[in-house]
């Protein structure tokens, strides 16, 4: 599930000015600051210099994930790298892109005894979970990142790094705004005393505000084929949109309107008339089959420092290397069509025994050598296109009352999900003011609009969510400052018939591999999918060790002869 983590690390060449412009377009972040009173500045300064933060929000204890089948499978997968036979000569693996896919690939290759060299185009780690600090010391992020209990590889990664305590778990609920009742919310509460899927069924049955009993029954009947048919049935639904599937199964349109518009935007930033039903069914399967699957956690601070840096430190401790500001201009080829080197924009040539592209699919397509483009493996990538999304941060001059220490589904036309980060996140905690972080989606018609237009539209939507506290004209809560992060090409757009286009991590080009949530793995476009893709990529390279080592020795011999 994407929910909420979305941006691309741009490894773009510079050709005819077009890619130079696109590089900045792929990840734009802008801000506007309204002058703050001297008293407010003093308060903010005191908050940052008065010692440890005193957090009043209460987090839920970490759920017991270790005994679940998926967690144990992920743990076994991780252990396979640490227990793999040590290579006689470690492979030097050059990896493009320091998002979660690239970091995961490098981490598990280092665990297996190899020497990854990770190249990141920008000056920040994280890719789709990148974040920046502004002049006031406040962080603003690429997306609103939620870590689910149904993310076994991500949860294992936190444990392997010894940072489980950096996840702030929230109560087991899903909370939806009620457009027909401004300022009110409807909850799906999952009881801890029941196992899955009974806890999820109970949560749905207990909620009578969003769906009527006849609608629940028709939806349940519509879902029966998925429950009986299992994974094979789920995969077969890739050709239908959510809207098409619901109507085919006789599920009332109001079910789609009340629940699945919000879910579709949270999963892939698009509406149910575009999203593949396979995506919804996979999410429901993960959430309903595991007791803690839909339980959510927030990271306790900014992702580059709190999650990405521990991975980098682990990689470096095992002899690997991570370089920022290393943008790839060109994939240079040998005469036989295999990779000779990565040429960087500063003229540096990087060579290795194997090469990995862990960038978004749009970046890969821009850099594909011409001789590769007609190969079916790469040609199928044409249908995989990043979806636009916008992340908005607004700091208000007061503490908003009509909010929760949790993720909230806004159910508005323009907003997907949001959270008051001054409540949910320890590093961002503020007892006096709220900072709302909101996912603005679908964003296709807004991505080229000005930041002020986006903020004006956001405030009009917030007026409906906070009618007693927020007015679009700021006659109530006033904006102190805002940041807008635009991503014209984020995670791949999960429309019908995309699944056959997703590539395996091992490409048909010897020594060239892919990682990224768009590659083949069962968690689709999500943080979990990115980490799992990195593990699959690392596994492929470890399995190919003898072939890659032999190729490296042959190339070295040819180089020696030629000189």
């Amino acid at each position: 599930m994407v929910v909420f983590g979305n941006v691309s690390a741009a490894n773009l060449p510079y050709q005819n000015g077009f890619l130079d412009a696109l590089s900045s377009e792929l990840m734009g972040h802008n801000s506007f600051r309204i002058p703050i009173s001297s008293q407010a500045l003093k308060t903010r300064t005191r908050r940052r210099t008065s010692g440890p933060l005193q957090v009043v929000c209460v987090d839920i204890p970490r759920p017991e994930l270790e005994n679940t089948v998926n967690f144990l499978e992920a743990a076994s997968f991780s252990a396979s790298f640490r227990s793999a036979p040590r290579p006689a000569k470690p492979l030097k693996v050059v990896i493009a892109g320091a998002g979660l896919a690239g970091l995961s690939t490098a981490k598990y290759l280092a665990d297996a005894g190899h020497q990854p060299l990770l190249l990141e185009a920008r000056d920040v780690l994280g890719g789709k979970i990148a974040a920046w600090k502004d002049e006031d010391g406040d962080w603003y992020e690429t997306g609103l990142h939620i870590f689910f209990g149904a993310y076994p590889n991500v949860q294992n990664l936190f444990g392997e790094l010894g940072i489980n305590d950096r996840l702030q778990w929230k109560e087991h609920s899903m909370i939806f705004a009620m457009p027909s009742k401004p300022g009110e919310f409807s909850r799906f509460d999952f009881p801890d005393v029941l196992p899955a899927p009974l806890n999820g069924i109970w949560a749905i049955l207990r909620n009578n505000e969003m769906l009527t009993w006849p609608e629940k029954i028709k939806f349940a009947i519509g879902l029966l084929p998925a429950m009986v048919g299992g994974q094979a049935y789920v995969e077969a639904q890739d050709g239908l949109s959510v809207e098409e599937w619901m109507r085919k199964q006789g599920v009332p349109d109001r079910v789609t309107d009340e629940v699945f518009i919000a879910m579709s935007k949270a999963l892939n930033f698009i509406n149910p008339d575009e999203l593949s039903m396979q995506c919804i069914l996979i999410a429901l399967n993960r959430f309903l089959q595991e007791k803690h699957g839909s339980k959510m956690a927030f990271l306790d601070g900014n992702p580059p420092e709190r999650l990405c840096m521990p991975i980098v430190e682990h990689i470096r401790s095992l002899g690997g290397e991570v370089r920022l500001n290393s943008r790839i201009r060109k994939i240079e080829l040998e005469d036989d069509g295999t990779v000779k080197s990565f040429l960087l924009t500063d003229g540096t040539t990087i060579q290795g025994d194997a090469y990995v592209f862990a960038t978004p699919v749009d970046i890969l397509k821009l850099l594909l050598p011409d001789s590769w483009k007609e190969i079916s493996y790469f040609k199928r990538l044409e249908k995989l296109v990043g979806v636009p999304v916008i992340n908005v941060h607004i700091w208000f001059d007061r503490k908003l009352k009509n909010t929760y220490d949790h993720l909230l589904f806004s159910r508005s036309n323009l907003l997907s999900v949001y959270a008051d980060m001054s409540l949910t996140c320890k590093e961002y905690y503020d007892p006096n003011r709220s900072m709302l972080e909101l996912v603005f989606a679908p964003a296709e018609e807004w991505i080229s609009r000005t930041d002020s237009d986006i903020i004006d539209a956001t405030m009009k939507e917030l007026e409906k969510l906070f009618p007693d506290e927020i007015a679009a004209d700021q006659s109530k809560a006033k904006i102190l400052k805002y940041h807008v992060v635009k991503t014209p090409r984020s995670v791949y757009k999960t429309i019908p018939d995309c699944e056959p286009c997703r590539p395996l991590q091992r490409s048909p080009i010897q020594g060239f591999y892919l990682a990224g949530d768009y590659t083949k793995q069962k968690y689709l476009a999500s943080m979990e999918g990115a980490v799992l893709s990195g593990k699959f990529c690392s596994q492929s390279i470890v399995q190919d060790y003898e072939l890659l080592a032999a190729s490296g020795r042959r190339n070295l011999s040819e180089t020696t002869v030629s000189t």
Side-chain angles (χ1 to χ4, degrees):
M1 180 178 271
V2 176
V3 194
F4 341 93
N6 43 29
V7 169
S8 43
N11 286 325
L12 292 173
Y14 294 84
Q15 298 171 2
N16 302 325
F18 169 72
L19 293 177
D20 188 9
L22 187 55
S23 173
S24 59
E25 282 290 318
L26 272 168
M27 220 311 304
H29 50 99
N30 303 292
S31 61
F32 176 76
R33 189 162 184 264
I34 296 174
I36 305 173
S37 70
S38 58
Q39 182 58 43
L41 284 171
K42 289 177 183 177
T43 303
R44 291 171 67 85
T45 302
R46 283 201 303 271
R47 176 167 64 88
R48 296 186 187 287
T49 58
S50 59
L53 294 179
Q54 192 171 25
V55 182
V56 297
C57 54
V58 178
D59 295 319
I60 304 302
R62 184 176 185 274
E64 296 179 3
L65 302 172
E66 285 74 11
N67 292 324
T68 63
V69 172
N70 286 335
F71 186 94
L72 291 171
E73 288 178 352
S76 177
F77 196 178
S78 295
S80 70
F81 296 103
R82 298 190 296 271
S83 62
R86 298 298 91 177
K89 184 179 184 300
L91 296 173
K92 178 183 178 182
V93 184
V94 185
I95 305 166
L100 282 179
L103 288 165
S104 174
T105 303
K107 191 265 186 194
Y108 291 105
L109 281 173
D111 284 349
H114 297 290
Q115 295 178 342
L117 169 56
L118 187 56
L119 305 174
E120 168 55 44
R122 298 183 292 170
D123 62 355
V124 61
L125 296 165
K128 297 180 183 70
I129 62 168
W132 300 265
K133 184 182 285 189
D134 69 12
E135 60 194 36
D136 299 316
D138 292 313
W139 288 88
Y140 57 104
E141 305 178 349
T142 302
L144 188 49
H145 315 294
I146 302 299
F147 297 82
F148 287 91
Y151 281 2
N153 290 283
V154 168
Q155 296 301 334
N156 267 277
L157 179 61
F158 272 82
E160 293 161 29
L161 298 169
I163 57 172
N164 275 331
D165 60 342
R166 296 186 182 184
L167 287 178
Q168 294 182 250
W169 291 93
K170 307 304 178 183
E171 58 185 328
H172 201 174
S173 301
M174 300 185 77
I175 306 172
F176 291 74
M178 299 292 288
S180 60
K181 300 176 182 178
E184 296 187 22
F185 296 86
S186 181
R187 299 170 61 104
F188 290 86
D189 294 317
F190 295 70
D192 284 338
V193 295
L194 294 178
L198 295 179
N199 62 343
I201 294 172
W202 181 260
I204 295 170
L205 294 179
R206 283 292 303 273
N207 184 299
N208 294 314
E209 296 167 311
M210 292 176 67
L211 299 178
T212 65
W213 274 98
E215 288 167 343
K216 292 176 187 177
I217 292 170
K218 288 181 179 179
F219 178 49
I221 293 172
L223 277 179
L224 279 177
M227 296 177 181
V228 175
Q231 187 63 26
Y233 177 86
V234 170
E235 292 178 2
Q237 307 316 300
D238 180 50
L240 295 174
S241 71
V242 175
E243 186 176 80
E244 290 170 338
W245 185 91
M246 293 287 185
R247 289 175 176 171
K248 179 184 175 184
Q249 298 303 111
V251 179
D253 285 348
R254 216 182 73 84
V255 175
T256 301
D257 295 341
E258 289 295 297
V259 178
F260 288 100
I261 288 178
M263 279 195 67
S264 296
K265 293 202 293 185
L267 283 166
N268 199 237
F269 315 122
I270 56 179
N271 282 317
D273 61 336
E274 291 189 280
L275 183 69
S276 167
M277 187 61 193
Q278 184 195 38
C279 186
I280 290 285
L281 291 175
I282 286 175
L284 289 175
N285 182 50
R286 299 287 177 264
F287 289 166
L288 294 179
Q289 294 302 318
E290 302 175 33
K291 179 177 179 179
H292 304 294
S294 56
K295 192 168 283 189
M296 306 179 203
F298 284 73
L299 192 62
D300 67 357
N302 72 89
E305 291 182 351
R306 302 299 288 170
L307 174 54
C308 298
M309 271 310 299
I311 305 176
V312 170
E313 290 165 359
H314 179 87
I315 293 166
R316 288 172 174 165
S317 72
L318 295 175
E321 187 178 354
V322 179
R323 299 182 192 173
L324 300 179
N325 299 305
S326 299
R327 186 182 300 274
I328 295 173
R329 179 191 295 273
K330 184 180 180 182
I331 301 173
E332 297 185 312
L333 303 183
E334 301 279 7
D335 292 339
D336 63 359
T338 59
V339 180
K340 178 181 180 180
S341 63
F342 285 169
L343 175 65
L344 305 188
T345 54
D346 64 2
T348 303
T349 296
I350 306 293
Q351 292 184 306
D353 300 302
Y355 300 85
V356 177
F357 246 67
T359 69
V361 65
D362 300 282
I363 307 300
L364 170 65
K365 290 190 291 186
L366 287 170
L367 286 168
L368 278 179
D370 289 339
S371 61
W372 292 3
K373 290 181 179 178
E374 294 307 311
I375 299 173
S376 60
Y377 174 91
F378 295 111
K379 194 172 181 60
R380 289 195 297 268
L381 298 178
E382 292 176 5
K383 188 166 183 178
L384 302 180
V385 178
V387 64
V389 69
I390 299 169
N391 208 50
V392 177
H393 307 70
I394 303 178
W395 282 260
F396 288 97
D397 66 347
R398 66 196 65 184
K399 198 72 175 176
L400 300 172
K401 298 175 182 178
N402 192 36
T403 188
Y404 286 83
D405 177 17
H406 212 297
L407 178 76
L408 301 170
F409 291 81
S410 73
R411 301 178 71 217
S412 79
N413 292 329
L414 296 177
L415 303 178
S416 169
V417 290
Y418 70 97
D420 185 345
M421 298 298 280
S422 70
L423 283 177
T424 62
C425 177
K426 290 179 182 177
E427 185 176 15
Y428 304 163
Y429 175 73
D430 189 326
N432 302 311
R433 295 173 184 80
S434 286
M435 188 274 272
L436 296 186
E437 184 172 345
L438 312 106
V439 178
F440 193 104
E444 189 169 0
E445 296 180 6
W446 289 85
I447 204 74
S448 61
R449 302 279 289 271
T450 66
D451 292 348
S452 59
D453 283 346
I454 292 166
I455 292 297
D456 288 345
T458 300
M459 287 294 287
K460 288 177 182 177
E461 295 299 311
L462 290 178
E463 186 176 50
K464 302 171 187 175
L465 296 171
F466 298 83
D468 297 328
E469 301 180 86
I470 295 178
D473 63 2
Q474 295 191 56
S475 58
K476 298 177 182 178
K478 292 179 172 51
I479 298 176
L480 295 177
K481 65 177 179 180
Y482 63 74
H483 290 287
V484 174
V485 181
K486 296 179 179 179
T487 310
R489 297 289 180 91
S490 180
V491 295
Y492 78 97
K493 194 173 185 179
T494 313
I495 58 177
D497 297 319
C498 265
E499 192 63 23
C501 301
R502 298 175 69 199
L504 294 171
Q505 287 74 28
R506 181 189 284 112
S507 87
I509 305 299
Q510 182 179 313
F512 185 76
Y513 303 81
L514 300 179
D517 56 22
Y518 70 92
T519 63
K520 200 75 171 177
Q521 42 73 28
K522 62 183 179 180
Y523 286 90
L524 299 177
S526 64
M527 292 185 288
E528 172 70 9
V531 171
L532 182 55
S533 78
K535 294 173 87 166
F536 281 146
C537 182
S538 301
Q539 181 185 54
S540 297
I541 293 171
V542 171
Q543 291 172 344
D544 294 346
Y545 171 71
E546 294 296 337
L547 180 64
L548 295 169
S551 177
R553 288 192 294 270
R554 184 174 64 252
N555 291 341
L556 179 61
S557 175
E558 291 171 355
T559 302
T560 303
V561 171
S562 66
T563 56

